[in-house]
Amino acid sequence: MLSFLGQCVINFTKALKYTIKGNVRLSSILAQISAIGFDSLGISLSIVFLSACVIALQVARQFLMSGGDSYIGGFLAVALIREIAPGFAALALAARAGTAISAQVANMQVTNQIDAIEVLKVDSVGYFFAPRIIAGAISVFCIVLLAELTGILGGALVSYFSIGLHPVRYFNSVWLMLVLKDIWISLLKGLVFGGLISLVCATQGYLTRGGAKNVGESTTKSAIICTIYILAADLIIDILFYMG
């Protein structure tokens, strides 16, 4: 695991140098945003929306019985923006787009396409990694923002139909309890998680050797490692910004 982390750091450094030199084409970034973000938008928003609905359904009656129904919207908004939206959206995107990145790079590795790129004196790591890392960061950033709005609306719908909580009271508590710091940190998580997903999955694919069987194994491994790294990054960010 440590050696893999070291390889990720090395690849990120190479991709960063490649980007600073201005070698990354905008068309490549836009193509990757379409493949990573747009194709994963539906499943990411659906997971966050359903999660918000389930949480609202579980806590609404308990809040109502204790006389705290006016705080349902604020409670749900804080939980969504701090953890649920960035975490669940990133995990969904890792399962959908991350594994696709790993499979693509692994397939190019086992079919010697990466060797062909290097023969042409092109930095293969920068060429394949930089557009995907940038696109991943932008995609998850945007998806997290949309997921937060979708989740809050889902909670409002469930609260209204389950206990009759008026939307005005719901959104008033959201407005009162939500702070700008939580939104900025959640968007920062989106940037970090998106770049991390692309970096980890591309690295796993880049390290693949063998044939078609190894491509499948590498794809599965990338999903597992990506989940661990996302949760670890989430913990580190929370410690930095919320501890103390």
Side-chain angles (χ1 to χ4, degrees):
M1 185 66 73
L2 289 177
S3 61
F4 182 81
L5 178 61
Q7 188 63 52
C8 287
V9 173
I10 293 171
N11 290 341
F12 178 75
T13 304
K14 291 181 179 180
L16 184 61
K17 290 179 180 178
Y18 189 85
T19 304
I20 293 173
K21 291 179 180 179
N23 295 324
V24 182
R25 293 180 299 175
L26 180 61
S27 58
S28 299
I29 296 175
L30 293 177
Q32 291 301 321
I33 289 176
S34 176
I36 296 172
F38 184 76
D39 292 347
S40 304
L41 181 61
I43 186 172
S44 299
L45 295 184
S46 298
I47 289 174
V48 175
F49 176 81
L50 292 173
S51 301
C53 290
V54 169
I55 294 173
L57 188 63
Q58 291 291 337
V59 305
R61 294 198 177 278
Q62 279 68 27
F63 272 77
L64 180 64
M65 288 188 294
S66 62
D69 51 308
S70 296
Y71 300 102
I72 293 174
F75 165 79
L76 189 61
V78 171
L80 269 170
I81 291 176
R82 286 190 178 187
E83 291 299 331
I84 296 173
F88 282 24
L91 291 173
L93 192 137
R96 166 63 181 80
T99 52
I101 291 173
S102 180
Q104 290 169 2
V105 178
N107 185 61
M108 288 186 287
Q109 182 67 270
V110 300
T111 55
N112 298 321
Q113 295 180 50
I114 292 179
D115 293 338
I117 289 290
E118 292 179 345
V119 167
L120 298 174
K121 303 299 181 181
V122 176
D123 182 3
S124 60
V125 172
Y127 182 81
F128 289 114
F129 281 56
R132 288 172 169 82
I133 293 173
I134 296 172
I138 295 173
S139 298
V140 180
F141 177 92
C142 296
I143 289 175
V144 166
L145 187 59
L146 293 173
E148 290 169 354
L149 295 173
T150 303
I152 291 173
L153 290 175
L157 288 173
V158 171
S159 299
Y160 177 75
F161 286 108
S162 62
I163 63 171
L165 180 64
H166 197 280
V168 173
R169 296 178 64 193
Y170 177 92
F171 287 107
N172 185 55
S173 68
V174 171
W175 178 259
L176 291 175
M177 295 181 65
L178 200 59
V179 295
L180 194 59
K181 174 185 175 182
D182 291 336
I183 298 175
W184 288 120
I185 293 174
S186 71
L187 295 178
L188 172 64
K189 286 184 178 182
L191 286 172
V192 173
F193 293 167
L196 192 62
I197 289 168
S198 298
L199 176 63
V200 169
C201 293
T203 299
Q204 182 59 48
Y206 193 82
L207 296 175
T208 304
R209 299 293 186 274
K213 178 183 177 182
N214 301 94
V215 172
E217 293 174 351
S218 182
T219 303
T220 303
K221 189 181 295 185
S222 68
I224 297 171
I225 297 175
C226 217
T227 301
I228 297 172
Y229 278 37
I230 288 172
L231 295 176
D234 189 22
L235 176 61
I236 292 171
I237 293 174
D238 283 346
I239 290 174
L240 291 175
F241 290 98
Y242 289 114
M243 192 172 182

